[in-house]
Amino acid sequence: MGGGSATESVDETINGIQRVGSFRFLYEGERWEWSDEVAVLHGYSPGEVTPTTALMAEHKHPDDRTHFEAMVAEMLTNHAPFSSRHRIIDTRGCTHPVTVIAHTIYDADGRAIGTEGFYVDLSGSVDESVKERVDAEVLNFRTSRASIEQAKGMLMLVYGVTEDRAIDVLKWRSQQENVKVRDIADTIISQALAGIEIAEITRRRFDDIVLTSATRPDPVSTE
């Protein structure tokens, strides 16, 4: 098989790939699995390397590495899911701020065996060619907002991500489950409303924001 270098392959993939990718971490043997998107996020061609705890730590920003190591220890000791907001430095030295969202996975006996979820790349500069590749499904749910807009707002609020990243998450879940984006949105809304209780202190804080919104300046974005 001829052709360009691994770097060229990664460049091509970054320009066309979605900015959301999945991963899995199994406690036994500390075994990591990642999707092609997450491999590319770290600067590798799909299938080029097998992720390990050491490799993952090596790619964390120096200021975030201690936190990552503490999270791995927490996963192995208390079986806590790997959820975080940190920075990744890829093989070319580029820094990517990411949000990692995950939940615990269980075996048939109900025993926690690992954690799985997805990375959202929060890098501010999105190649225009990626934006131009937004497919008909995304265009469709922009016109029929309703539940999709509501679910998107939930993701933005809970995970602190931008509108575009929230859309990426909905698209990614749609592809993973092979169902329509709107169906994913409807499920997120119904299960969130039925299964999440807002703490009183949070509700009171939101009351204050609503009641004083006319006099408050717009917050400065941290992204």
Side-chain angles (χ1 to χ4, degrees):
M1 185 181 293
S5 66
T7 299
E8 289 172 339
S9 175
V10 170
D11 286 340
E12 291 171 1
T13 309
I14 286 174
N15 285 337
I17 209 161
Q18 227 177 16
R19 297 166 70 86
V20 177
S22 60
F23 80 95
R24 174 178 289 191
F25 175 70
L26 300 177
Y27 302 139
E28 187 174 349
E30 292 189 35
R31 184 157 60 90
W32 292 88
E33 301 169 2
W34 62 16
S35 67
D36 291 347
E37 293 88 347
V38 179
V40 170
L41 177 63
H42 287 76
Y44 299 103
S45 296
E48 181 181 351
V49 297
T50 299
T52 63
T53 299
L55 180 69
M56 303 287 276
E58 181 182 328
H59 281 283
K60 297 296 178 282
H61 188 283
D63 292 343
D64 298 335
R65 197 166 296 158
T66 299
H67 177 59
F68 168 75
E69 292 169 347
M71 279 196 305
V72 172
E74 178 72 8
M75 283 193 293
L76 294 173
T77 303
N78 298 320
H79 295 169
F82 174 45
S83 296
S84 171
R85 186 162 182 160
H86 60 269
R87 290 158 291 181
I88 288 172
I89 300 177
D90 67 22
T91 55
R92 296 168 299 176
C94 298
T95 300
H96 303 265
V98 299
T99 285
V100 181
I101 302 159
H103 64 94
T104 302
I105 52 178
Y106 302 88
D107 63 13
D109 297 322
R111 182 173 59 95
I113 60 171
T115 182
E116 67 178 358
F118 57 95
Y119 280 71
V120 183
D121 183 1
L122 303 176
S123 300
S125 57
V126 182
D127 191 285
E128 285 302 316
S129 65
V130 177
K131 290 182 178 178
E132 292 171 3
R133 290 170 187 249
V134 176
D135 57 26
E137 187 177 10
V138 177
L139 294 176
N140 179 59
F141 76 63
R142 283 194 183 281
T143 57
S144 58
R145 297 179 178 270
S147 60
I148 295 171
E149 289 297 308
Q150 188 175 347
K152 184 179 71 177
M154 288 179 171
L155 293 170
M156 292 169 67
L157 176 63
V158 173
Y159 296 133
V161 298
T162 64
E163 179 180 359
D164 286 342
R165 295 299 173 269
I167 290 172
D168 283 345
V169 171
L170 291 173
K171 285 180 61 184
W172 177 76
R173 290 296 297 136
S174 170
Q175 292 170 359
Q176 290 288 304
E177 300 297 336
N178 195 27
V179 299
K180 294 180 179 179
V181 170
R182 180 164 185 169
D183 293 337
I184 291 292
D186 286 338
T187 301
I188 289 173
I189 294 166
S190 62
Q191 293 192 4
L193 292 177
I196 296 180
E197 241 181 79
I198 304 297
E200 183 64 22
I201 188 170
T202 303
R203 194 183 303 276
R204 289 179 180 175
R205 176 73 182 114
F206 191 74
D207 289 346
D208 182 57
I209 291 172
V210 171
L211 294 172
T212 61
S213 57
T215 59
R216 288 179 182 269
D218 289 337
V220 177
S221 174
T222 58
E223 283 195 23

